[in-house]
Amino acid sequence: MIFTCSDDLDLEKIAGSGQCFRWTMQDNGFCRIIAGSEHLHIRRKNVSQLEADCSKEKFEAFWYRYFDFQESYKEIRKKIDPEQDPFLYQAAIYGQGIRILRQDPWEMLISFIISQRKSIPAIRTAIENLCRMAGTAIETESEQNVLYAFPTPEQLAMLTAQQLSECGLGYRTEYVRRAAKAAADGIIDFDRMRQMEDLTLEQSLECIYGVGTKVANCTELFGFHRLNSFPRDVWINRVLETEYPQGYPFTAYEPYNGVMQQYMFYFYRGQSGR
DNA sequence: AGGCAGGTTCTTA
DNA sequence: TAAGAACCTGCC
């Protein structure tokens, strides 16, 4: 199907924004997205239109929400005053087209547990290994290329520590193993967590072994769509130190601090050559 | 070849 | 409560 997109959407920028690890820019110009047990090939056709290999019904039922099209990122960016905050203004221009996807909380929790002290390519590899090891095959693109869904808590909980370790998880093996078991047992209850206030949600996430402030914040922002959550990684800390020595104006950007974080992250990494 | 990587936990004072 | 060490291993 072909559809019109009037708000910001830049597939390449989102693919490189560090919020998703199963987006692949293909040689044919399409971006392949695997989300949970869904997948999509999508590309920009022209300035106002996108092309995707799914039905209108499927797009409306799943992908419209996934891309967060009900939110206007143009409007959010209007909160930035170029006089007051020239750095963020510049970062937002550079990052125009980034959106905060509505991804699955479970997938985000595990992905960001894995992310600690790993480079982005290494994170992607580890996640693909996990999906191949435990996930359900969802489609065969070619004889060699089978796509796998992200494993369910039950599927992950069934793996042995040995199998998890073979996915390249290193010392995160035990974190993933325990999170999978807790989720499979219902001790981690994502439906209940959806109902929680931001602060309560954060506290619940940080109770999980292997989950500290950073991983909790990423899970909140990318998995629970808490747009005010502001993950602080090494890059963002550098930004705050160099660009905002007198303090960053969090209150000015509520409740969208997480969106601004994405602009700054993407801009700063782009500037410093990866 | 060898250091470093989107953090968290554990230990020690 | 705060600072420092230890942790696995794939990547560049």
Side-chain angles (χ1 to χ4, degrees), chain A residues 186-187 189-196 201 204 224 226:
Chain A
I187 294 166
D189 182 342
F190 294 98
D191 288 329
R192 204 163 62 80
M193 290 168 108
R194 279 182 227 278
Q195 315 298 323
M196 293 177 182
L201 174 61
S204 309
F224 289 97
R226 302 300 170 100

Side-chain angles (χ1 to χ4, degrees), chain A residues 197-267:
Chain A
E197 300 289 326
D198 288 357
L199 194 61
T200 317
L201 174 61
E202 175 148 351
Q203 288 165 349
S204 309
L205 287 166
E206 288 177 4
C207 288
I208 300 167
Y209 183 61
V211 177
T213 314
K214 162 62 167 56
V215 172
N217 286 334
C218 285
T219 307
E220 288 159 40
L221 180 58
F222 304 125
F224 289 97
H225 207 69
R226 302 300 170 100
L227 294 186
N228 205 42
S229 182
F230 190 91
R232 292 166 187 258
D233 53 39
V234 290
W235 297 93
I236 287 296
N237 283 331
R238 284 171 204 161
V239 172
L240 296 187
E241 274 170 35
T242 57
E243 304 295 334
Y244 300 93
Q246 308 92 300
Y248 178 80
F250 286 101
T251 48
Y253 302 122
E254 285 171 357
Y256 299 111
N257 278 299
V259 177
M260 305 313 179
Q261 189 271 11
Q262 281 292 279
Y263 289 140
M264 290 194 286
F265 178 77
Y266 184 78
F267 178 62

Side-chain angles (χ1 to χ4, degrees), chain A residues 150-173:
Chain A
F150 193 85
T152 63
E154 292 75 16
Q155 286 175 321
L156 220 47
M158 268 192 289
L159 295 184
T160 63
Q162 165 82 30
Q163 285 174 305
L164 281 175
S165 197
E166 282 169 18
C167 294
L169 301 188
Y171 66 84
R172 306 158 197 80
T173 294

Side-chain angles (χ1 to χ4, degrees), chain A residues 12 51 70 73 75 82 167 181 185 214 228 248 269:
Chain A
E12 294 212 3
E51 179 181 3
Q70 59 262 56
Y73 285 76
E75 283 302 314
C167 294
K181 184 166 166 35
D185 292 346
K214 162 62 167 56
N228 205 42
Y248 178 80
R269 289 194 88 225

